[in-house]
Amino acid sequence: MKFADLHLHTQFSDGTFTPEELVLYAQKSGLACIAVTDHDTVEACVRAAAACAAVRMEFIPGAELTAEHEDIEVHVLGYFLDTENRALLGRIAQFQTVRQQRIYEMVAALNKLGVPLKVEAVFALANCKSPGRPHVARALVKEKLIGSLDEAFERYLKKGRPAWVPKTKMSALESVELIHHAGGLAVMAHPGLNRSDEIIPALVEAGLDGIECFHTKHSTVMSERYLEIAERHHLLVTGGSDCHGFSKNKPLIGTVKLPYEHVERLHAARQNPKSKIRNRK
Ligand SMILES: [Zn+2]
Ligand SMILES: [Zn+2]
């Protein structure tokens, strides 16, 4: 039986693996297909595709866009993206700028609290266009300004803590449109983490193609619930580990194994969007 992991991060966002390392781990985990879904960037895709081709593993270029719908944060995964699509690249470049600006604001807030972190230390460590809170946390640990990543979030970076800075996000509807425009399929990421099932119908209305039913942080009950929701709304089913490398604990790759039949359905939906029943009335 073949399996896939369709939710993976690299060094180009807040993961710790290079694209090549990620593919090596995917191979060790016995996966037949992977998708890279870095936050607000597709930079890793070219190298990941090459590394996959070298070991005859199927690769799906993707991204995880940070969006919101009615003040609820929602992550939208894009699969089979044309990573050279100008509209997509232009828009994510804007969000990368927002992310970089947010690093300055978080560091300024930390400095105000008497934590002498330098913004350069965060950027040097992040070394990518899509820096985020995990990079600030890692820099704090590296500079020995805090004991652990968890502590960094608990004390400073978690929503509502003193160095938390809100993030400007694109609307979920725009993210779906952007993904479609770049030839991709739009999938709602880890709905069990958002606890915002009430927004699913609006996303479906906007053209959402699928829902991530299997995820590291989904219990069996949750997965079953989302499989039901997927069926009700005629949505594709995806799943992935959301592996960030050695970011927190052990790499999660290989812990969520999506049966390959779901990838086949993604291919079918992509080849012939009309074969998928959408509620277009
Ligand atoms: Zn996410
Ligand atoms: Zn993710």
Side-chain angles (χ1 to χ4, degrees), residues 23-24 26 71 77 83 109 139 206 215 217 269:
V23 173
L24 211 67
D71 288 331
L77 298 158
T83 56
H215 182 274
K217 290 190 176 161

Side-chain angles (χ1 to χ4, degrees), residues 67-74 194 196 198-199:
E68 66 185 341
H69 185 74
E70 287 167 359
D71 288 331
I72 295 169
E73 180 163 323
V74 49
N194 301 66
S196 48
E198 69 271 18
I199 71 169

